[in-house]
Amino acid sequence: MPQVVGIDLGTTNSLVAYMDGKTPRAIPDENGQVALPSIVAFLKEGPQKTLTGEQAKARLMTHPKETVYSVKRFMGKGREDLEADLQHLPFVFLGKGKEGVQIQIGDQQHSPPEISAHILSALKARAEKALNTSVTQAVITVPAYFNDSQRQATKDAGKLAGLEVLRILNEPTAASLAYGLQKEKKGIIAVYDLGGGTFDISILKINNGIFQVLSTNGDTHLGGDDFDQKLVQLIRKEILEKYKVEIQDFPETMQEARLASEKVKCALSSEESVDITLTLPDKKTQYIRRVSRSEFEKLITPLISRTIDSCTQALADAKLTPTDVNEVVLVGGSIRVPLFKETVGDFFQRQPHSELNPDEVVALGAAVQAQILSGAITDMLLLDVTPLSLGIETMGGVVSRLIQRNATIPTTAKETYSTQVDGQRSVSIHVVQGERELVEDCRSLAKFNLTGIDPMPAGMPRIEVTFLIDANGILNVTAKDLKSGKETTVEVKPTYGLSDADAEKMISASMEHAKEDLEKRQWIESKNEAETVLHHTEKALAQGASLLDDAEKEKIEKAIAELKNAISSEMHKAVREKLTALDQATQRFAADLMSQSVQEALQNKKLKDL
Amino acid sequence: METVSKKNGSERGPFFEKIPAERPCWSCQSEKVDLYNCVSCKTIQEFLSDTDYFASLNQGYTLNINLDQLEKQYYELSRRFHPDFFQQRPKAEQEISLENTALLNKAYQTLKDPLKRAAYLIQLVEGENQMKTQAPASLFEDIFEVQEAVEEMQALDPSDQVGRRKREDTLKSALEKMQRYQKDEQDKLLALFTKWDQLEVGRKSQAFSAAQKNCLMEMKQILSHTGYLERVIQDIKTALKS
């Protein structure tokens, strides 16, 4: 029987695991190594010639421009999302604005999914050799906080590697599965997953084999790489001051600085202080500096605080407090930094544990999920959530939320659309992901065009659009013409976000910008509300004129005129005031109208009941 | 909408009886089909298009719900329908599994929260799509004061500590008052839940009674006020944090 494997496609390292009977096992290479460095080296000999893993890693310093690392950070990103990264990276990026990013190697261009596919192919080959069978299906893990485009890109990478991706699985959830398998667990667990490039926190309720995710939060741009970067920047500045050399202009030296920083970071997990050594671009001068653990900890404290903010938000979304959590599980290589264990332990007021190897546990969990999907395990079930709210653009650029973040997936939302002009043949729907109030501040996912609508007077067509987030956390859109019952064609134009529109930035920004948002939202809402009220009042005036005396009528008409004036002044406060005034002016009238219609309704009712 | 069901004669809720009569098993054509499965061939069945959240989780239309039981039911049905268990099955079954699970997920998330549960029932009975929120008249002045204080705070010079403190005090006292109001309204709502349940248990006809509808109207009023106020409270909290 062909084997379904679980793959942890990491920023720094990738792993493949399978189920050996009832035990998930990571598959080692011929040297006994389970972790494959997520590095792809392109050789000059030909476009298809690549090396991966340790062999590629060896070329990082000798061929920095042709050796790609941390490609996970670019998955599903547009060129403009990566501005901040570009200066640290030795590669040449192509693409403009929202275009998907491409990396230029020699005279070839490669997309991030293509590069990831090389890593996946290497793992596939490793598994096939070790298990002596063909491997065509896999579960691939992603950070829980990955958005739709990033998930889609990961799925594409699997396809490119010749794998049928049975499921895109969230990393912390995968870890919880591996944990849950160990012994019968029950209660609330928090999985704190800090990898090479991403951070996730998931809160789960485990009960009788059901693993229900209550909430998730994170930062897809925070991980061990960022700690290295803090050290690199420290070195860079000091060298610039002391030797007047900008090492950023020398890719080889930058790469050496990065690798040296990574080593120092790891050593500081057990040592109190470590020397960092670097040969300057002149190939003669040696830069040596002692880094103490406390100095390093000071550098990374802001990063740790960001992870704790995410934990706070996740708990709030799950309507829990830190002490409700029964167990805290640490996952990912970066949790070896002792300060994390301490900080997380303090936050949850509980000793976190990591019995399983934090580097392997995600791949092991993916293997368990693979077994569930192949039907061999029936007593375990994962109920996962979507990390970000999904909405559509409405009038005035305001987001109308269709699916809230932390909704259990699969989930659907339905909306009915019509046309605005006679004979209109297509309708465009703009779908965004994020927590902010305005479209421009959320991540644009795609524009969906409903086409082939039969020409009809405006407002006549009724097209029901279904937004489905499947069990992979990926959006699917279908449309049906409610009149004819036939499926309507949906054209998808995916977009790749805005310059500062990383998913996690949206959340933190939504806190920072809450004030501005509030103002804009208040104005838009007041205006909309005022227009609705005006419409209804004018309609009611026309219908219920008999209930009014002249004085009252005049009062209401004056209030209407004043409200209209306030709207054109674009002053939120004025609109509010005049709305209240109109409300007061119409109170008696509204009550009269109401009792009239209630009486009518009751009369109807009685007739019907008889 | 006058009724939720088309058939009469059930103590539990009207929809369970109509199902077998209205659709044979899509797979084996057997007439013996319950809400979830074909009795003969055991294949899963698609929910009818008008299956509501209460029905999907096999709940009557009562508002006081035992949450442990609801969770148990949700877990059981998830085990029955979740797409993870249909990966190796024919496409038709996969689609049913996906759609039913999506409905169950939404149903559980709605029914486990008392406010969402009540709002959903109102929407179901009235056939309205969206609940409108409205400021409670007794708090008009306070809401106005809050809006003023929030705006003034935004315009304030960052060094003006005294001015800031003054606005903060206004907001804090308004927050306290509003939270008290919310608590009182919630208690009223829970009392209405009990009233509704008594009426619902005693319901003989297939339509909801006028008393039940009045009860819903009262709930709607409360929800519309508390929903509005919840946003004001959030705004106050945001303003105090910034």
Side-chain angles (χ1 to χ4, degrees):
Chain A
M1 192 178 139
Q3 186 80 36
V4 187
V5 295
I7 294 177
D8 172 5
L9 184 60
T11 309
T12 320
N13 291 306
S14 297
L15 291 89
V16 57
Y18 78 111
M19 287 299 272
D20 180 9
K22 290 191 165 166
T23 314
R25 288 191 203 288
I27 304 174
D29 66 10
E30 46 290 345
N31 303 318
Q33 283 284 341
V34 292
L36 177 82
S38 303
I39 302 170
V40 179
F42 291 87
L43 306 184
K44 290 241 162 59
E45 291 84 282
Q48 293 311 315
K49 239 5 217 159
T50 55
L51 295 173
T52 49
E54 291 296 340
Q55 285 176 303
K57 197 173 183 176
R59 293 171 68 94
L60 273 177
M61 277 205 300
T62 52
H63 300 80
K65 283 175 190 286
E66 291 93 39
T67 311
V68 184
Y69 63 93
S70 296
V71 67
K72 188 173 179 176
R73 292 203 144 183
F74 320 135
M75 296 286 272
K77 294 286 179 84
R79 172 70 163 74
E80 61 183 8
D81 293 333
L82 298 169
E83 283 317 326
D85 281 333
L86 297 184
Q87 51 179 350
H88 309 315
L89 294 163
F91 326 120
V92 179
F93 286 93
L94 301 170
K96 281 196 294 265
K98 292 189 202 305
E99 283 174 23
V101 72
Q102 297 263 333
I103 298 174
Q104 173 95 38
I105 312 270
D107 52 5
Q108 298 282 321
Q109 292 164 17
H110 305 268
S111 68
E114 284 174 278
I115 296 167
S116 295
H118 289 293
I119 299 164
L120 292 172
S121 298
L123 292 173
K124 179 176 184 270
R126 179 197 286 188
E128 285 177 334
K129 198 168 166 202
L131 304 173
N132 200 19
T133 175
S134 77
V135 172
T136 55
Q137 293 181 316
V139 169
I140 303 179
T141 62
V142 295
Y145 221 55
F146 255 21
N147 65 28
D148 183 86
S149 335
Q150 292 167 306
R151 287 167 195 271
Q152 194 63 56
T154 306
K155 209 174 168 190
D156 292 345
K159 242 182 267 167
L160 291 170
L163 289 167
E164 184 193 345
V165 181
L166 291 188
R167 175 62 48 82
I168 294 293
L169 178 65
N170 292 332
E171 286 158 9
T173 328
S176 77
L177 271 184
Y179 261 89
L181 200 66
Q182 270 209 318
K183 51 181 172 199
E184 189 58 26
K185 292 239 159 89
K186 213 177 161 168
I188 305 288
I189 72 163
V191 183
Y192 181 100
D193 179 358
L194 188 63
T198 59
F199 165 70
D200 282 325
I201 173 78
S202 285
I203 312 290
L204 290 102
K205 181 173 185 176
I206 303 184
N207 188 359
N208 242 332
I210 301 249
F211 293 66
Q212 188 191 0
V213 181
L214 300 176
S215 67
T216 194
N217 207 289
D219 195 325
T220 59
H221 220 308
L222 198 173
D225 277 9
D226 299 288
F227 309 167
D228 303 346
Q229 206 52 48
K230 290 273 179 200
L231 283 171
V232 170
Q233 291 308 322
L234 176 85
I235 297 169
R236 200 198 111 227
K237 263 191 221 143
E238 284 188 0
I239 292 177
L240 188 61
E241 272 167 30
K242 202 165 159 194
Y243 303 99
K244 310 283 173 237
V245 177
E246 173 54 274
I247 58 169
Q248 205 144 273
D249 302 336
F250 300 89
E252 284 86 357
T253 313
M254 269 307 265
Q255 197 69 280
E256 197 186 333
R258 194 178 67 84
L259 294 169
S261 297
E262 194 187 332
K263 274 203 191 108
V264 166
K265 171 189 74 180
C266 295
L268 282 175
S269 292
S270 48
E271 318 265 330
E272 281 307 318
S273 65
V274 184
D275 280 343
I276 191 162
T277 338
L278 189 69
T279 313
L280 296 195
D282 64 7
K283 308 267 184 227
K284 284 188 294 225
T285 320
Q286 286 279 327
Y287 163 87
I288 303 178
R289 185 201 198 281
R290 179 152 284 235
V291 185
S292 70
R293 186 190 288 176
S294 65
E295 192 182 1
F296 174 63
E297 288 180 342
K298 219 166 134 191
L299 284 174
I300 61 170
T301 296
L303 301 175
I304 299 190
S305 308
R306 270 162 62 193
T307 70
I308 296 298
D309 291 346
S310 288
C311 293
T312 310
Q313 187 63 50
L315 280 173
D317 285 354
K319 298 197 171 70
L320 296 173
T321 60
T323 44
D324 291 327
V325 175
N326 305 112
E327 273 187 77
V328 180
V329 178
L330 297 178
V331 183
S334 300
I335 53 131
R336 291 207 172 79
V337 176
L339 186 59
F340 276 94
K341 240 181 183 148
E342 273 169 44
T343 316
V344 175
D346 286 350
F347 178 77
F348 287 103
Q349 299 164 45
R350 175 171 298 279
Q351 186 70 33
H353 60 94
S354 40
E355 298 125 60
L356 288 174
N357 182 337
D359 295 321
E360 289 182 15
V361 62
V362 168
L364 299 181
V368 175
Q369 180 67 14
Q371 200 78 337
I372 294 173
L373 295 178
S374 66
I377 295 179
T378 52
D379 56 349
M380 291 171 90
L381 174 62
L382 259 187
L383 300 170
D384 219 324
V385 301
T386 180
L388 297 159
S389 300
L390 186 95
I392 46 171
E393 178 169 354
T394 59
M395 267 195 318
V398 177
V399 177
S400 158
R401 294 235 168 99
L402 294 177
I403 295 172
Q404 295 287 344
R405 72 164 182 266
N406 294 319
T408 309
I409 49 173
T411 191
T412 55
K414 284 185 164 74
E415 279 281 301
T416 307
Y417 288 87
S418 192
T419 49
Q420 286 176 326
V421 213
D422 290 348
Q424 190 177 334
R425 299 294 305 268
S426 69
V427 174
S428 178
I429 305 164
H430 186 197
V431 181
V432 298
Q433 215 169 13
E435 310 309 320
R436 298 282 299 276
E437 305 271 356
L438 299 179
V439 168
E440 61 189 52
D441 301 320
C442 286
R443 187 181 182 87
S444 165
L445 283 190
K447 287 215 165 86
F448 296 91
N449 285 326
L450 308 176
T451 57
I453 299 170
D454 293 335
M456 267 185 263
M460 287 297 284
R462 282 166 51 76
I463 298 140
E464 184 187 72
V465 180
T466 304
F467 302 87
L468 166 81
I469 298 184
D470 65 17
N472 299 308
I474 293 177
L475 174 69
N476 302 266
V477 175
T478 50
K480 202 165 73 181
D481 187 330
L482 286 182
K483 285 224 171 81
S484 65
K486 73 173 184 197
E487 297 269 315
T488 306
T489 316
V490 183
E491 274 173 20
V492 189
K493 285 188 188 147
T495 28
Y496 288 107
L498 307 153
S499 60
D500 65 340
D502 288 356
E504 73 286 348
K505 277 193 199 137
M506 291 185 230
I507 276 246
S508 57
S510 98
M511 294 167 191
E512 283 162 26
H513 295 281
K515 236 166 62 178
E516 283 169 52
D517 278 11
L518 179 68
E519 260 173 276
K520 286 191 215 167
R521 195 192 79 204
Q522 278 178 334
W523 162 241
I524 294 171
E525 280 182 356
S526 304
K527 181 169 157 268
N528 289 348
E529 193 183 330
E531 280 166 355
T532 314
V533 168
L534 279 174
H535 173 75
H536 285 298
T537 312
E538 281 170 345
K539 206 168 130 194
L541 273 182
Q543 284 170 356
S546 61
L547 294 167
L548 285 173
D549 61 34
D550 285 351
E552 215 172 356
K553 194 168 170 220
E554 200 178 310
K555 210 171 83 188
I556 293 174
E557 278 169 348
K558 190 169 157 255
I560 289 178
E562 280 176 2
L563 179 57
K564 283 181 175 167
N565 265 336
I567 293 176
S568 54
S569 76
E570 299 206 354
M571 300 282 289
H572 153 65
K573 222 172 115 185
V575 171
R576 277 280 145 215
E577 268 169 37
K578 298 301 170 199
L579 251 177
T580 315
L582 178 61
D583 196 50
Q584 274 161 2
T586 55
Q587 236 162 33
R588 206 190 61 81
F589 179 42
D592 285 353
L593 267 179
M594 183 72 86
S595 65
Q596 192 189 31
S597 64
V598 166
Q599 271 167 13
E600 278 168 13
L602 284 178
Q603 271 161 5
N604 281 340
K605 181 95 183 46
K606 278 186 195 133
L607 287 175
K608 240 182 206 163
D609 283 355
L610 291 170
Chain B
M1 213 201 316
E2 275 297 300
T3 61
V4 178
S5 71
K6 294 164 198 153
K7 275 201 173 179
N8 200 1
S10 160
E11 294 285 321
R12 280 165 77 205
F15 29 74
F16 300 101
E17 277 65 34
K18 73 180 175 183
I19 287 153
E22 289 192 10
R23 48 159 194 189
C25 170
W26 62 274
S27 179
C28 74
Q29 307 308 318
S30 157
E31 292 285 320
K32 284 186 184 163
V33 170
D34 67 19
L35 180 55
Y36 306 117
N37 305 300
C38 170
V39 177
S40 319
C41 74
K42 310 284 181 227
T43 316
I44 55 168
Q45 303 295 313
E46 192 177 353
F47 287 138
L48 290 173
S49 58
D50 61 349
T51 302
D52 59 58
Y53 293 171
F54 289 93
S56 71
L57 283 161
N58 207 350
Q59 294 283 320
Y61 295 112
T62 49
L63 285 172
N64 286 303
I65 288 186
N66 178 331
L67 288 179
D68 289 337
Q69 268 172 24
L70 185 74
E71 182 188 73
K72 201 169 153 235
Q73 177 75 3
Y74 169 62
Y75 284 169
E76 263 176 43
L77 291 172
S78 296
R79 284 189 189 278
R80 182 74 189 101
F81 287 114
H82 200 278
D84 281 10
F85 300 133
F86 289 86
Q87 200 95 24
Q88 318 291 333
R89 304 291 301 165
K91 190 124 184 77
E93 270 183 69
Q94 286 185 8
E95 273 169 24
I96 294 172
S97 135
L98 185 64
E99 285 193 13
N100 285 10
T101 304
L103 182 69
L104 287 168
N105 285 341
K106 286 190 288 180
Y108 179 61
Q109 292 205 331
T110 305
L111 295 194
K112 76 175 177 186
D113 176 337
L115 297 182
K116 288 185 191 159
R117 189 190 306 149
Y120 178 73
L121 180 65
I122 293 166
Q123 180 202 319
L124 197 64
V125 173
E126 294 199 338
E128 257 178 51
N129 261 333
Q130 260 179 341
M131 190 76 109
K132 295 235 161 54
T133 62
Q134 199 185 18
S138 64
L139 290 174
F140 272 169
E141 257 173 56
D142 303 83
I143 293 168
F144 214 69
E145 243 177 50
V146 165
Q147 278 166 348
E148 225 168 42
V150 169
E151 276 166 33
E152 282 168 11
M153 240 159 106
Q154 287 165 0
L156 226 50
D157 190 293
S159 63
D160 184 2
Q161 290 297 327
V162 181
R164 183 176 166 88
R165 210 159 306 133
K166 193 178 138 218
R167 277 31 171 234
E168 276 179 0
D169 288 345
T170 310
L171 289 181
K172 276 180 195 154
S173 72
L175 181 65
E176 220 172 273
K177 189 171 175 187
M178 288 175 184
Q179 281 171 334
R180 225 170 23 237
Y181 177 91
Q182 296 289 73
K183 174 82 187 54
D184 290 348
E185 291 300 291
Q186 245 173 46
D187 290 346
K188 278 189 215 160
L189 190 69
L190 292 182
L192 286 169
F193 276 21
T194 307
K195 187 175 162 194
W196 165 271
D197 287 358
Q198 282 164 357
L199 293 167
E200 174 62 13
V201 168
R203 174 159 67 98
K204 292 281 182 289
S205 79
Q206 143 199 4
F208 293 114
S209 66
Q212 280 184 297
K213 286 193 178 168
N214 279 336
C215 189
L216 283 186
M217 285 294 272
E218 284 181 62
M219 285 187 227
K220 190 177 175 183
Q221 186 79 354
I222 292 175
L223 287 174
S224 129
H225 289 165
T226 52
Y228 186 96
L229 226 47
E230 200 45 50
R231 296 190 72 162
V232 180
I233 288 174
Q234 282 314 318
D235 290 348
I236 296 177
K237 286 184 178 165
T238 312
L240 285 176
K241 249 189 253 168
S242 65

